[in-house]
Amino acid sequence: MIQLLLKEVEGIGCAVEVEGDKLKLLDPRPLTTDMKNQLREHKTEILELFKREELAKKRGWIAFPYGGGYEKQISRNTSVFIFLEDDGTYTVWRATWFEGAAPAKESTIVERVDFETAFERANNYVQWFQKKG
């Protein structure tokens, strides 16, 4: 998965950023030929990942690194999450905390769907919740 590739690149001291339709390496350390080839091979997917993160941030979501997840707090104690599953799909759920480390209430909104469906369903839930409140 591209998330693992980006984490591996970051792990050796290099960061990937998007500049227009190009990938830019920040503070570049020597990358292996294999890493460079994988970045080239997955450029379109990486650009799409960064576009998703930008879209999510514009809509008020906190983006976890490399598309691993998104969070939006919708009340003092409640947040909605969009998490990337191991199979490349996304799951949306919400949780409410009152006291303690574990959520007092949780519910799954949608499981194992593509990002666009997950993002739409999560935003629909947020709008519903805000109207309800």
Side-chain angles (χ1 to χ4, degrees):
M1 291 180 87
I2 59 172
Q3 287 80 8
L4 294 176
L5 171 62
L6 293 171
K7 287 178 186 178
E8 186 179 349
V9 169
E10 184 180 79
I12 63 168
C14 190
V16 177
E17 196 175 78
V18 172
E19 195 172 87
D21 63 347
K22 298 180 191 256
L23 299 179
K24 180 179 176 183
L25 299 175
L26 302 177
D27 191 23
R29 302 285 192 253
L31 296 179
T32 66
T33 302
D34 183 50
M35 283 181 170
K36 289 177 188 177
N37 289 339
Q38 286 186 55
L39 288 171
R40 283 185 197 101
E41 181 181 333
H42 297 287
K43 177 182 173 184
T44 302
E45 296 166 77
I46 295 168
L47 290 171
E48 182 62 34
L49 176 75
F50 280 93
K51 283 182 194 175
R52 289 178 186 167
E53 286 185 3
E54 192 60 35
L55 173 65
K57 289 175 185 177
K58 286 180 182 177
R59 303 262 328 249
W61 292 82
I62 296 169
F64 300 167
Y66 308 125
Y70 303 86
E71 176 183 355
K72 187 168 196 172
Q73 187 171 2
I74 57 175
S75 76
R76 183 171 168 246
N77 299 326
T78 303
S79 291
V80 176
F81 301 90
I82 306 169
F83 278 116
L84 177 64
E85 301 290 350
D86 290 338
D87 64 1
T89 63
Y90 288 83
T91 294
V92 179
W93 63 283
R94 71 131 182 102
T96 301
W97 288 264
F98 294 112
E99 294 179 21
K105 293 167 50 178
E106 294 180 75
S107 67
T108 301
I109 297 166
V110 66
E111 291 181 283
R112 300 193 179 278
V113 295
D114 61 86
F115 176 80
E116 289 74 18
T117 301
F119 194 61
E120 180 182 351
R121 294 285 301 273
N123 281 300
N124 288 345
Y125 182 84
V126 168
Q127 289 175 346
W128 171 82
F129 188 91
Q130 291 171 337
K131 285 180 185 176
K132 178 185 90 136

